[in-house]
């Protein structure tokens, strides 16, 4: 590489003085927000996020600059956060759940790389929607599991079907995000059909909606009756595997500890 090429590369990869914290807020309630998330938000000079998520941290907002935008404006929010960090500010870009799981962390990193910016970033994990739902239902994620979003806005539906079929055949517990909306009904019906072809209709299914809010609802049902339940965009649907069962009203996927202990005592 020539001296001029080295100079060009150094010029392109700009070192920015600010810091961008990519923060997962958890399901939304204060009690499920981590101490690291709270500390980073309080230390920030700029807070960027989707309006309702910013509303959920009103207790932490003092004199920070707040930048909000609506649904489907993820790139706009990332751009605002990156610009603020580039100017030397400490920025908190917030997501619900975990920032690195269907959140804003990946997009922010992609955009910074495309811009050639070297911005200090810290990912602060949060409690995921799947973990929150599982805790309310019992212990359905004790063994191997998968997480799949049924939204086909960014991923072709054909690819989602391929993944659903693979997970169903592999006997994995699955957490379904974005399962159904007013306009998008077919996806959950198709997912149910795929799993019903591989698992009995009595397979336990848990539905947790609006976790951590005043509208929280938790329903325990099975594959045969899943489509009869109220399921929306704020719901997470957890479908059990061949060993998942209901114990005293709790959805549990045994990991094998109990059976192993029994065998050792025989």
């Amino acid at each position: 590489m020539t001296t001029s090429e080295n100079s060009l590369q150094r010029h392109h990869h700009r070192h920015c003085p600010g810091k961008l914290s990519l923060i997962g807020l958890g399901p939304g309630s204060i009690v499920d927000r981590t101490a690291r998330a709270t500390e980073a938000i309080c230390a920030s000079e700029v807070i960027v996020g989707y309006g309702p998520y910013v509303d959920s941290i009103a207790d932490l907002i003092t004199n920070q600059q707040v930048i909000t935008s609506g649904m489907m404006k993820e790139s706009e929010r990332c751009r605002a956060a990156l610009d603020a960090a580039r100017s030397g500010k400490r920025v908190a870009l917030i997501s619900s759940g975990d920032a690195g799981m269907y959140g804003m962390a990946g997009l922010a990193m992609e955009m910074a790389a495309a811009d050639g910016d070297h911005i200090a970033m810290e990912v602060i994990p949060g409690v995921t929607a799947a973990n929150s739902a599982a805790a309310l239902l019992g212990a359905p994620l004790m063994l191997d599991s998968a997480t799949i979003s049924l939204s086909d806005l960014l991923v072709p539906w054909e690819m989602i079907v391929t993944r659903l079929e693979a997970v169903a055949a592999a006997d994995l517990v699955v957490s379904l995000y974005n399962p159904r909306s007013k306009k998008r009904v077919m996806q959950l019906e198709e997912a149910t059909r795929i799993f019903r072809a591989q698992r009995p209709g009595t397979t336990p299914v848990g539905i947790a909606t609006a976790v951590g809010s005043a509208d929280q609802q938790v329903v325990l049902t099975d594959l045969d009756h899943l489509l009869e339940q109220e399921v929306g965009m704020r719901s997470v649907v957890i479908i059990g595997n061949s060993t998942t069962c209901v114990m005293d009203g709790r959805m549990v996927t045994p990991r094998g500890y109990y059976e192993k202990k029994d065998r050792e005592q025989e």
Side-chain angles (χ1 to χ4, degrees):
M1 184 177 290
T2 67
T3 302
S4 60
E5 287 173 331
N6 271 317
S7 177
L8 181 61
Q9 187 179 60
R10 286 195 300 270
H11 175 73
H12 180 66
H13 292 280
R14 294 169 290 183
H15 290 264
C16 305
K19 179 181 179 180
L20 178 57
S21 294
L22 303 154
I23 302 172
L25 298 177
S29 62
I30 295 175
V31 295
D32 289 324
R33 185 195 302 155
T34 69
R36 280 185 65 193
T38 297
E39 182 180 356
I41 293 168
C42 290
S44 68
E45 299 170 277
V46 181
I47 297 172
V48 183
Y50 173 49
Y53 301 160
V54 172
D55 293 342
S56 73
I57 59 167
D59 58 305
L60 303 180
I61 298 176
T62 52
N63 60 349
Q64 300 101 321
Q65 177 188 358
V66 177
I67 301 173
T68 64
S69 62
M71 289 285 289
M72 308 301 292
K73 299 291 185 180
E74 290 85 358
S75 294
E76 180 181 297
R77 290 195 291 277
C78 274
R79 175 59 59 203
L82 290 168
D83 287 346
R86 190 179 299 115
S87 72
K89 301 290 183 61
R90 297 187 304 276
V91 183
L93 177 58
I94 60 175
S95 303
S96 65
D98 181 81
M101 187 172 178
Y102 302 123
M104 303 292 283
L107 179 57
M109 293 176 186
E110 289 180 66
M111 292 178 69
D115 291 343
D117 287 340
H118 182 72
I119 295 175
M121 294 188 189
E122 178 184 22
V123 179
I124 298 177
V127 179
T128 69
N131 290 141
S132 302
L136 290 169
L137 291 163
L141 304 182
M142 280 291 295
L143 203 56
D144 301 334
S145 67
T147 303
I148 297 178
S149 171
L150 296 190
S151 173
D152 56 357
L153 292 176
L154 301 175
V155 178
W157 178 243
E158 293 75 17
M159 177 59 72
I160 296 173
V161 167
T162 298
R163 293 169 179 172
L164 289 169
E165 290 174 341
V167 167
D171 197 32
L172 293 170
V173 176
V174 65
S175 300
L176 300 178
Y177 280 52
N178 307 311
R180 187 159 62 186
S181 68
K182 291 181 180 179
K183 296 182 179 180
R184 201 168 38 77
V185 179
M186 172 276 295
Q187 284 83 350
L188 183 60
E189 295 176 353
E190 179 68 5
T192 301
R193 184 195 65 77
I194 290 170
F195 278 86
R196 186 64 185 82
Q198 296 283 349
R199 303 177 191 185
T202 55
T203 300
V205 175
I207 305 165
T209 302
V211 175
S213 75
D215 300 323
Q216 176 177 293
Q217 295 182 4
V218 181
V219 174
L220 189 57
T221 183
D222 58 30
L223 268 176
D224 276 347
H225 299 91
L226 169 55
L227 295 178
E228 301 172 10
Q229 310 305 318
E230 185 175 343
V231 178
M233 282 296 289
R234 300 178 71 190
S235 303
V236 174
V237 176
I238 299 181
I239 300 175
N241 69 7
S242 61
T243 66
T244 304
C245 55
V246 177
M247 301 177 181
D248 194 23
R250 301 182 183 94
M251 185 177 176
V252 180
T253 303
R255 192 176 181 190
Y257 292 125
Y258 186 76
E259 292 83 352
K260 180 179 179 181
K261 181 179 178 182
D262 282 352
R263 288 196 298 270
E264 290 174 346
Q265 291 176 347
E266 290 177 354

